[in-house]
Amino acid sequence: MREVAVTVPGEPPLAGTLTLPDATGPVPAVLLASGSGPVDRDSDHPRARLGVTRALAHALAAGGLASLRYDKRGVGGTPGDWRRAGLHDNVDDLARAHDLLAARPEVDGDRVLLAGHSEGALLAAAVAARGVPVAGVVLLSASATPGDELLRWQARQIGPTLPAPVRGLLRLLRTDLEARVAANHERIRATTTDVARVGGVRVNARWTREFLDHDPRTDLARLAVPVLAVTGSKDLQVRPGDLAVVAAAVPGPVETHLVPDLTHTLRRQPGPASLRAYRGELRRPVDPEVLAVVVAWCRRTSTVPFPS
């Protein structure tokens, strides 16, 4: 395996890493998309080093496939401000990265796949739904629920997992977590700027407005290429049941995997599902079974060139 620093042209230029297998001749490749927020090419956040796309890149290289991953706007080597980027900007950035990857001489441009984790899965589906020529799409921890509904669902799941003192304080203050989330959504919907203050905190308002209105099923219904969808049974950030929605919405071939005990971080978590356990599980590597499933599927899918 070798890694090459690349820059995706455009505004802003995206700093990335092209990971190449130890192979000769043009090889199939996978364009990797990270989750939401200020995450870099490896899917690392200032407060949480997920390492999802880095692990995928190295596993794919071991399986004979190239990959490209990049820093989002305002993160790592990419200039800009991540708070000012909208969801649709992120889709455009992924499409730009696809054009660069498909044009690389080390890559077979007819055998480029997309693989996204969390928000990255939404971006991958959106790019493929535009008709960008890809051989397949991998959706990891992907939502098939409209954004506003998903965030309210998250509040219902996360509330019971909060520490007992926090739950007690919420009861004492008669605070309904889901209602508070919904109220914040209305405040953000009323904004018109890229960045706004909500509760004294600067938030990426344009991204949130676009996410709240985004229905992933619209893009899923336009995917004629093969799709692999993998979600953990203990995911508190997307509905595990959305795997069935993906299978029903996508008109092309679909393969789904519900992985026992897997969380949104793509690690296993014993006991009841809880966000509090993330810190400990992030000390462990991305689940090897998930990596193996993705690599095997990408190898199978990329053996057939995309039809012209």
Side-chain angles (χ1 to χ4, degrees):
M1 182 187 77
R2 63 188 177 97
E3 295 195 310
V4 180
V6 298
T7 300
V8 178
E11 185 54 41
L14 308 172
T17 298
L18 175 68
T19 303
L20 298 167
D22 183 14
T24 57
V27 296
V30 183
L31 176 57
L32 303 172
S34 299
S36 60
V39 295
D40 65 14
R41 70 192 73 184
D42 294 334
S43 301
D44 289 343
H45 185 282
R47 296 193 300 272
R49 298 177 64 84
L50 270 69
V52 169
T53 43
R54 180 180 61 248
L56 284 167
H58 294 177
L60 288 164
L65 292 94
S67 67
L68 173 64
R69 62 195 194 274
Y70 59 89
D71 298 331
K72 297 178 75 172
R73 299 186 184 202
V75 181
T78 297
D81 181 351
W82 67 271
R83 291 185 182 86
R84 296 189 180 280
L87 180 69
H88 303 312
D89 289 331
N90 294 340
V91 176
D92 292 340
D93 289 348
L94 188 64
R96 285 194 283 140
H98 169 274
D99 293 343
L100 173 75
L101 180 60
R104 292 287 304 195
E106 308 94 334
V107 168
D108 183 340
D110 291 326
R111 293 190 290 170
V112 174
L113 301 95
L114 303 177
H117 173 245
S118 193
E119 182 205 0
L122 299 180
L123 306 182
V127 167
R130 289 182 177 182
V132 172
V134 297
V137 179
V138 178
L139 307 175
L140 301 172
S141 304
S143 170
T145 299
D148 55 354
E149 182 182 339
L150 175 66
L151 294 181
R152 293 196 303 271
W153 177 87
Q154 287 180 0
R156 291 196 299 273
Q157 307 310 304
I158 292 170
T161 76
L162 295 172
V166 176
R167 297 199 307 273
L169 181 61
L170 291 174
R171 286 194 297 270
L172 181 65
L173 297 176
R174 297 182 179 179
T175 300
D176 183 319
L177 193 59
E178 183 180 353
R180 174 163 289 191
V181 166
N184 284 340
H185 291 171
E186 294 310 308
R187 293 188 187 98
I188 293 174
R189 285 187 189 278
T191 64
T192 57
T193 54
D194 292 345
V195 182
R197 286 194 175 273
V198 177
V201 178
R202 293 177 72 236
V203 299
N204 48 343
R206 180 157 69 97
W207 182 92
T208 304
R209 291 193 303 269
E210 293 175 357
F211 179 79
L212 291 171
D213 293 336
H214 181 67
D215 187 342
R217 294 170 297 186
T218 302
D219 290 331
L220 293 172
R222 296 173 179 156
L223 302 186
V225 297
V227 171
L228 169 69
V230 180
T231 299
S233 67
K234 291 183 178 176
D235 200 317
L236 295 174
Q237 290 165 259
V238 300
R239 292 172 168 172
D242 274 5
L243 284 174
V245 180
V246 172
V250 174
V254 184
E255 180 179 323
T256 64
H257 292 259
L258 179 64
V259 182
D261 293 331
L262 197 76
T263 73
H264 198 71
T265 73
L266 302 183
R267 275 88 167 172
R268 308 274 180 152
Q269 185 183 109
S274 171
L275 291 183
R276 288 178 290 166
Y278 276 15
R279 179 175 297 180
E281 66 190 51
L282 287 178
R283 299 190 188 102
R284 302 191 300 273
V286 173
D287 187 76
E289 179 183 327
V290 171
L291 295 176
V293 167
V294 172
V295 172
W297 186 88
C298 288
R299 282 174 57 87
R300 292 196 307 271
T301 304
S302 63
T303 58
V304 180
F306 188 82
S308 59

